Amino acid sequence: MSLDRLPNYLGGRWISGTGTPASLFDPVLGAALVQVDATGLDLKGGFRFAREQGGAALRALTYRQRAELLAAIAQVLQTHRDDYYEIALANSGTVKNDSAVDIDGAIYTVGTYAKLGATLPDAHFLRDGEPASLAKDAAFQSLHVQTPVAGLALFINAFNFPAWGLWEKAAPALLSGVPVVVKPATATAWLTQRMVKDVVDAGILPAGALSVVCGSAAGLLDALEPFDVLSFTGSAETAATIRAHAAVTRLSVRTNIEADSINSALLMPDTRAGDAAFDLFIKEVAREMTVKSGQKCTAIRRAFVPAALYDEVAAALRERLSKVVVGNPRDERVRMGALVSRAQLSAVREGLSHLQRHTTTLLDGNAAAIVDADPKLACCLGPTLLGVDTPEAVESNAAVHDIEVFGPVATLLPYADLPRGIAQVQRGQGSLVASLFGDDPEALARTAMALAPWHGRVHVVTPDVAAVQSGHGNVMPQSLHGGPGRAGGGEELGGLRALNFYHRRTAIQSGPSVLKKIQET
Ligand code: NAP
């Protein structure tokens, strides 16, 4: 039986590639599902259409009008939500709760930007601060304005969030008035393509405002022009290739990179086994290891504990993690589904065996029973807890701070005292998120600020916020996402801060009569 080939949407029309397609698979059953191919597309022509048609039409609207478009998109996505869950089940092998992180996270993010956009002026540009006087009196001034960038936004996305990865970027871009071209990771491109199709079919956006290219990334960066912006999410290796491309080095295409990250959680030194903070830490580390089978860029990879608690934490985590039922997400007993592909399973196994040479295995995911699936076919791996048993061994260990195993794997690391624990967290070379668990607000505040320069987000959990805290790994649209150094140096979300990336800031220098006219437009 021949498989459906998902068409690309570019230049305002649906168009299939002309080369050899790549197949997308069910990572649990092993069946091929659909195919994608971007060979032979007129990328330069399609990008020109997006800039000239889509960009012009979006910029003709005000922020509030574009916010209304986002509200309509959220409605359409909500209507088709069940289809998205089916695609995620088949193509990502995720249990319902894990699909929700991606799908409902996407819809919530679009809805949040629709609401934020409604608070913006009914205008075509944003004023940035008050005019500054450049002369003795106010006769000559500088007014800073932000206008939508004149090009398009190209998104090259990772496989793990085909829904949220599109909309966490597209919502602020479209609100800013910038047309979007998305290239999803091939392995899970289906869900992204379907969401774009549903929004295109609903006729919400002007022609050229939203395009999708599924398949190889070849030629995409060559089609960029100086006023375009590029947002990449994926591995540090691909990020390095992108940074070296002439679009970035010669044309100065503004680029945002979200790369890999060795995130941490730290249990504060004054904690005892059985304290509320201790239990919250165990719950969160176990949750982070298992949600989406650990395929979250924000997942906890290093769990730091006071040395005196190492054995008790290891025992509590082992007990909790060994209860996680792994296997076919169609089976109601199953709590953790599959890794996304055979390639990903191999990469995780390879990274894991490397890390195991530098650690002790406290719980071996390879030994977990795989429920309702053929272990030879299903890309499943049980939660795997590694450990390094003394603070001295942690300090002399480079691998645990450096190797990202993008699966259900974390390493337990003891520290001698808080300053040395903080120093070990900082060895992640820049991360998306660190979380702290304790109940002394003063010590937690000091520790959070000590970690801030190394992180995009510091998530502090005390017993009084246990019921309402948003989760170490959950990226909320109101809060910044991105991290310095190894994490890519990018910034996304953070409420209306996200709009900065899609705007050009300009200082208009003139007398009050001209500046007044500008502010009236
Ligand atoms: P990847 O292999 O780097 O792929 C990411 C994207 O880049 C895919 O769309 C891929 O297309 C494309 N690509 C591959 N080679 C390219 C090239 N030479 N030029 C331009 N694009 C190219 O990463 P992945 O395996 O999908 O994702 C896993 C990694 O992403 C992990 O390391 C994880 O930490 C990171 N991640 C980070 C975040 C974050 O927000 N910081 C979020 C999620 C994931 P194909 O699929 O067609 O190869």
Side-chain angles (χ1 to χ4, degrees), residues 157 159-160 183 185-186 233-235 238 258-260 297 404 406 481:
N157 282 357
F159 67 79
N160 55 342
K183 188 268 186 263
T186 297
T233 299
S235 64
T238 312
E258 300 290 344
D260 55 18
C297 51
E404 184 201 45
F406 207 60
H481 175 57

Side-chain angles (χ1 to χ4, degrees), residues 28 321-329 331 333-338 349 363-376 378-384 408:
V28 178
L321 290 167
S322 47
K323 287 188 194 139
V324 175
V325 181
V326 185
N328 187 344
D331 188 309
R333 292 167 294 169
V334 168
R335 290 287 164 270
M336 188 170 97
R349 285 204 171 126
L363 179 69
D364 184 3
N366 285 303
I370 307 298
V371 171
D372 195 14
D374 178 353
K376 286 199 229 46
C379 304
C380 292
L381 176 73
T384 300

Side-chain angles (χ1 to χ4, degrees), residues 215-368:
S216 159
L220 284 174
L221 273 69
D222 301 329
L224 291 175
E225 292 190 352
F227 297 100
D228 296 332
V229 298
L230 167 64
S231 180
F232 169 78
T233 299
S235 64
E237 206 180 336
T238 312
T241 309
I242 285 176
R243 284 190 209 280
H245 191 277
V248 181
T249 58
R250 291 186 184 278
L251 301 184
S252 308
V253 166
R254 187 185 285 171
T255 304
N256 192 76
I257 304 256
E258 300 290 344
D260 55 18
S261 176
I262 319 289
N263 312 294
S264 328
L266 184 140
L267 184 61
M268 293 294 279
D270 51 357
T271 318
R272 282 178 311 224
D275 283 359
F278 180 96
D279 294 344
L280 288 166
F281 178 84
I282 300 295
K283 199 168 152 196
E284 197 73 9
V285 173
R287 181 164 69 165
E288 283 296 313
M289 288 175 69
T290 52
V291 171
K292 287 180 75 69
S293 297
Q295 299 169 112
K296 261 172 48 251
C297 51
T298 49
I300 296 169
R301 307 290 176 201
R302 296 176 297 155
F304 290 93
V305 294
L309 286 182
Y310 180 82
D311 289 336
E312 279 153 302
V313 171
L317 277 175
R318 228 181 351 236
E319 192 196 339
R320 197 170 181 105
L321 290 167
S322 47
K323 287 188 194 139
V324 175
V325 181
V326 185
N328 187 344
R330 293 162 186 87
D331 188 309
E332 282 187 359
R333 292 167 294 169
V334 168
R335 290 287 164 270
M336 188 170 97
L339 293 164
V340 79
S341 63
R342 296 230 60 91
Q344 196 53 29
L345 180 63
S346 306
V348 166
R349 285 204 171 126
E350 194 184 314
L352 182 55
S353 69
H354 191 165
L355 210 44
Q356 279 173 319
R357 290 201 283 278
H358 303 272
T359 56
T360 305
T361 301
L362 302 172
L363 179 69
D364 184 3
N366 285 303

Side-chain angles (χ1 to χ4, degrees), residues 422-440:
I422 291 171
Q424 294 308 306
V425 172
Q426 291 166 348
R427 288 179 71 193
Q429 304 149 61
S431 301
L432 295 171
V433 52
S435 55
L436 303 174
F437 295 79
D439 59 10
D440 175 352

